[in-house]
Amino acid sequence: MNETIQLTLPDGSVREVPAGSTGLEVAQSIGKSLAKAAVGIQLDGRIQSLQLPIDHDAAIAIVTRDTPEGLEVIRHSAAHVLADAVKQMRPQAKLWKGPPIDDPRFGFYYDIDLGDEPLTNDDLPEIEKRMRKIIESNVPFVFEEKPRDDAKAFLAEHGEVYKLATIDKIPEDEPITFYHSGDFVDLCEGPHVPSTGAIGKGIAVLSLAGAYFEGDEGQKMLTRIYGHAFADPKAMEEHRKRLEEAAKRDHRRLGVDLELFSTMGELGAGLVLWHPKGGFIRHKMEEFWRQKHLAGGYDIVYSPHVARSDLWKTSGHLEFYADSMFKGMDVDGADYLLKPMNCPFHVQIYKSKRRSYRELPFRWAELGTVYRYEEAGALHGLMRVRGFTQDDAHLFVRPDQLEPEIDRVLAFILDLLRAFGFDDFEMNLSTRPEKSVGELADWEKAEAALRASLEKSGLPFEVDEGGGAFYGPKIDVKIRDSLGRSWQCSTLQLDFNLPERFDLTYVDPDGGRTRPFMLHRALLGSLERFFGILIEHFGGAFPTWLAPVQAVVMSVGERHAARVEEIVASLKARGLRVEADVGAEKMGAKIRHHLWSEKVPTIAVVGDQELEAGTVTVKSRVDGDLGAMAPEELGERIAGLDASRA
């Protein structure tokens, strides 16, 4: 080994240090403040623990706690401490894994088999208390590499059967590594902060869930303990407040409270029942969706829910997607499968006749219900289901039409999302991976067109080099909701695979056969998931154009009931969704019920004064008290909010 090594810093400068120096020693040689903020080191692009020695020339960067990479190291270390705290409380518990995660609610979790000593939500404060004590003790994280046989013997001695199974999946040529912190030892490749104290005080233990070992329903259900960690306590406290607000807006709770939807439970896990109010909102969503598509030059198509397995063999789904497809049924001696996607059916429409270059582009849109098998532990309200309606479209275009069609689609995506109240977007371009199908020239043309369209939008975007699917590059659009959470909704995906598999062509101007470009496109993603996002974004308080009940007119007393019924009838005659409340409850209770519990956008009151003046007194959930209005003026206000989608 050389006595010294050369380390190249991000600014291009080179620092010569003794071979075997740790990342922390390098950070200290650069500056005390940098070393204090450091939680890891990037060595030739890979993050590793500061406490590990460096024995070769390399490009390095010090990873500080305020960076995304630094937070990941902190959260991984916090998961380790969480497991330590749980083992103190439940010594017989068996550990599986505890990774940092990219989730708006949580920063890490640990999956643990608690055996006959389960934990409840009441135990979470005690786990967090023990974590804080471990952090305050500031014990070092110590790295250890063990021979494979020794590692297995150690884990077997301690009954860590899930860790033993993990070792069996580690390739023979890779090291088996552990991290110690005090008396606690865990199979782990790291990285970890130098000591538990470097995690800081910004931690929390948040919730419990179930998770099957290896994600397999045939395996044992483990307890998943979720937590979070931030670089400072203030950020954690702000996150707690956001979680409290998110809990109030949870679409599963509001779906019940507002009678919007329910799920089938044991009679059909992951399948959704739309109740009348939720069904009406869906109707408005679909109505608007169709109007926009017809105005945008699309044709509406419909396709079956099932097809013979031959279709899915040709498309490649049976080869690459079978685990996510429901088992088939025998029909007249042939195997039929529920569709997981709409695209092969749209391809069949294209193939139904000979196509000419003069006909292209085709823009075919469908609200098609598809069925995909999701593991029971992954099901989550409307966000992850087994049957959902895909807001789908497929475009078949000539090469010269590719860029303008991509421009149209991206503009359409942003226009539709803005109409539903979203205006904060994250854009991502994913390019050709190492393994791909299709001609390189087509990939280059498609990527250039996607990039040009993103640049024309004027919105910032990130490029995920090599992150595209094997069959084509894509644009993903995320929306940010009222709580600042990001949701993946819209996708524009090129596909060089299906046109090849199904031999799609059109007759070009020279009479030859040319293969079209195919674009997959979803704007909302799925109606179920997008509806769940809308519920949480608006907290169940839908804008007037989506609200199943736009206004309630209430009587103060029995003598005002006839006038209320008359006003409601006139407003309904205008096509407005208005209801009467002529019950005997006190006015304050009525207002609270309709405006805040039922989240009706507008209420109007008729009492003696209003009866005499021929008016109603109006209160808006958003704008507050609006004073006296003639019923006709109230109707104009509601109709205006409806038409403008304000």
Side-chain angles (χ1 to χ4, degrees):
M1 182 188 297
N2 294 330
E3 291 186 2
T4 62
I5 55 175
Q6 293 189 326
L7 303 178
T8 305
L9 300 175
D11 63 1
S13 63
V14 176
R15 185 171 290 263
E16 190 170 286
V17 301
S21 297
T22 65
L24 183 58
E25 288 169 341
V26 174
Q28 289 169 338
S29 73
I30 297 172
K32 290 182 179 179
S33 60
L34 178 64
K36 186 177 180 181
V39 292
I41 187 169
Q42 191 174 61
L43 191 69
D44 288 333
R46 182 178 178 181
I47 308 296
Q48 74 170 39
S49 298
L50 280 169
Q51 53 271 47
L52 298 185
I54 306 169
D55 59 10
H56 61 279
D57 296 347
I60 69 160
I62 306 302
V63 177
T64 55
R65 62 188 302 107
D66 58 349
T67 63
E69 296 82 4
L71 276 177
E72 189 167 315
V73 176
I74 289 172
R75 289 165 182 170
H76 191 187
S77 304
H80 177 104
V81 170
L82 169 65
D84 187 0
V86 172
K87 289 282 278 186
Q88 290 178 16
M89 295 172 63
R90 300 287 190 273
Q92 301 306 312
K94 296 175 175 57
L95 308 177
W96 179 29
K97 63 177 181 178
I101 54 174
D102 182 16
D103 187 292
R105 300 162 297 167
F106 313 117
F108 61 88
Y109 66 80
Y110 216 114
D111 289 342
I112 304 176
D113 182 355
L114 294 165
D116 297 329
E117 297 182 281
L119 293 167
T120 70
N121 287 324
D122 292 338
D123 295 309
L124 300 186
E126 176 62 22
I127 298 174
E128 185 173 317
K129 178 181 176 182
R130 289 174 182 263
M131 286 183 67
R132 293 187 182 281
K133 187 174 181 180
I134 295 166
I135 290 169
E136 288 169 5
S137 69
N138 197 29
V139 295
F141 279 101
V142 179
F143 173 85
E144 180 188 13
E145 183 176 334
K146 288 181 182 286
R148 186 174 293 262
D149 289 344
D150 291 353
K152 284 187 170 184
F154 174 81
L155 293 171
E157 179 186 348
H158 290 82
E160 295 290 359
V161 294
Y162 303 103
K163 297 290 186 179
L164 275 169
T166 300
I167 283 187
D168 290 337
K169 295 192 174 184
I170 298 174
E172 288 290 336
D173 59 346
E174 290 191 13
I176 308 299
T177 61
F178 293 77
Y179 272 86
H180 301 243
S181 55
D183 294 330
F184 180 67
V185 186
D186 196 9
L187 175 73
C188 180
E189 65 176 351
H192 284 308
V193 295
S195 63
T196 58
I199 295 171
K201 297 180 179 180
I203 61 139
V205 182
L206 298 171
S207 66
L208 301 173
Y212 291 108
F213 177 57
E214 300 288 9
D216 181 353
E217 284 189 63
Q219 299 277 8
K220 186 169 184 179
M221 174 75 79
L222 309 181
T223 299
R224 176 166 291 180
I225 307 173
Y226 282 107
H228 220 322
F230 287 88
D232 64 83
K234 183 179 179 182
M236 185 67 249
E237 187 57 35
E238 290 172 353
H239 183 71
R240 280 188 191 272
K241 291 177 181 177
R242 288 195 297 271
L243 287 179
E244 290 172 3
E245 182 60 29
K248 296 176 188 175
R249 294 167 176 254
D250 190 312
H251 73 282
R252 294 166 297 178
R253 182 178 67 81
L254 289 174
V256 173
D257 293 348
L258 300 177
E259 298 182 73
L260 300 174
F261 74 92
S262 61
T263 53
M264 293 282 287
E266 293 181 0
L267 297 177
L271 302 177
V272 178
L273 297 170
W274 294 75
H275 294 209
K277 289 181 179 179
F280 182 84
I281 298 173
R282 172 170 174 159
H283 158 70
K284 294 300 292 183
M285 292 167 63
E286 291 187 4
E287 179 182 63
F288 178 60
W289 185 93
R290 289 190 177 93
Q291 289 171 351
K292 295 292 285 185
H293 278 77
L294 292 173
Y298 284 77
D299 294 305
I300 305 296
V301 299
Y302 296 87
S303 62
H305 290 242
V306 298
R308 281 182 57 166
S309 60
D310 304 69
L311 179 69
W312 310 110
K313 288 177 185 175
T314 304
S315 69
H317 286 93
L318 273 183
E319 183 179 357
F320 300 109
Y321 206 73
D323 289 345
S324 296
M325 297 176 70
F326 282 95
K327 293 180 180 178
M329 64 193 85
D330 185 281
V331 180
D332 300 330
D335 188 29
Y336 278 68
L337 296 167
L338 285 169
K339 66 175 178 180
M341 298 181 184
N342 299 305
C343 35
F345 292 101
H346 296 189
V347 167
Q348 292 304 300
I349 296 174
Y350 185 97
K351 285 179 65 68
S352 65
K353 59 176 285 190
R354 190 180 186 187
R355 302 295 181 180
S356 166
Y357 73 95
R358 293 187 180 91
E359 298 177 84
L360 273 61
F362 292 118
R363 308 182 191 101
W364 294 335
E366 176 179 12
L367 290 171
T369 300
V370 298
Y371 303 89
R372 300 179 188 173
Y373 175 73
E374 297 281 357
E375 295 169 355
L379 298 175
H380 180 75
L382 296 176
M383 303 305 192
R384 186 68 70 88
V385 294
R386 288 174 172 167
F388 58 92
T389 301
Q390 186 95 30
D391 139 62
D392 224 351
H394 295 93
L395 288 74
F396 301 89
V397 305
R398 302 191 310 261
D400 61 294
Q401 297 169 331
L402 182 61
E403 186 167 335
E405 286 301 315
I406 290 174
D407 289 347
R408 286 171 61 105
V409 171
L410 187 57
F412 196 179
I413 288 171
L414 299 177
D415 179 55
L416 198 74
L417 294 176
R418 285 173 174 141
F420 281 99
F422 300 100
D423 56 12
D424 189 356
F425 307 109
E426 295 178 27
M427 320 279 274
N428 191 81
L429 169 63
S430 298
T431 63
R432 186 170 68 91
E434 187 175 339
K435 294 182 179 180
S436 62
V437 299
E439 299 295 327
L440 179 59
D442 288 340
W443 275 87
E444 291 175 345
K445 181 178 179 64
E447 288 178 8
L450 292 170
R451 188 185 296 269
S453 184
L454 285 167
E455 289 171 348
K456 286 179 217 171
S457 76
L459 297 172
F461 64 93
E462 299 290 332
V463 179
D464 181 8
E465 296 290 354
F470 75 93
Y471 51 84
K474 65 175 179 174
I475 290 173
D476 290 317
V477 180
K478 292 182 180 180
I479 55 176
R480 197 176 296 278
D481 70 9
S482 56
L483 295 183
R485 301 171 300 181
S486 291
W487 301 93
Q488 171 64 57
C489 289
S490 309
T491 298
L492 171 55
Q493 171 83 61
L494 270 289
D495 188 345
F496 303 122
N497 184 48
L498 289 185
E500 184 74 29
R501 282 180 170 270
F502 286 96
D503 192 27
L504 302 188
T505 62
Y506 61 87
V507 179
D508 61 32
D510 298 325
R513 294 298 184 94
T514 299
R515 202 166 309 287
F517 280 98
M518 181 179 180
L519 291 82
H520 302 257
R521 188 238 62 189
L523 304 183
L524 306 180
S526 83
L527 292 190
E528 285 75 6
R529 184 169 179 271
F530 192 75
F531 184 47
I533 294 169
L534 283 180
I535 293 171
E536 298 195 1
H537 178 61
F538 292 120
F542 292 97
T544 296
W545 76 281
L546 285 175
V549 178
Q550 295 175 315
V552 172
V553 184
M554 300 178 288
S555 59
V556 173
E558 186 176 347
R559 60 188 176 279
H560 313 117
R563 177 57 177 161
V564 166
E565 298 285 9
E566 179 185 336
I567 292 170
V568 168
S570 69
L571 294 174
K572 282 186 173 181
R574 296 189 57 172
L576 304 177
R577 303 186 294 280
V578 184
E579 293 183 353
D581 183 345
V582 294
E585 293 84 1
K586 292 182 179 180
M587 186 53 56
K590 286 185 179 184
I591 291 173
R592 286 192 299 273
H593 174 72
H594 292 297
L595 206 60
W596 305 117
S597 297
E598 292 296 308
K599 303 184 187 297
V600 176
T602 302
I603 59 170
V605 177
V606 176
D608 289 340
Q609 185 175 343
E610 290 82 11
L611 194 62
E612 182 178 345
T615 62
V616 292
T617 295
V618 180
K619 186 178 183 71
S620 162
R621 191 184 59 228
V622 174
D623 300 319
D625 293 325
L626 299 176
M629 292 184 186
E632 296 78 10
E633 186 182 355
L634 173 61
E636 289 297 324
R637 172 183 166 79
I638 297 170
L641 291 171
D642 190 14
S644 66
R645 295 185 297 278

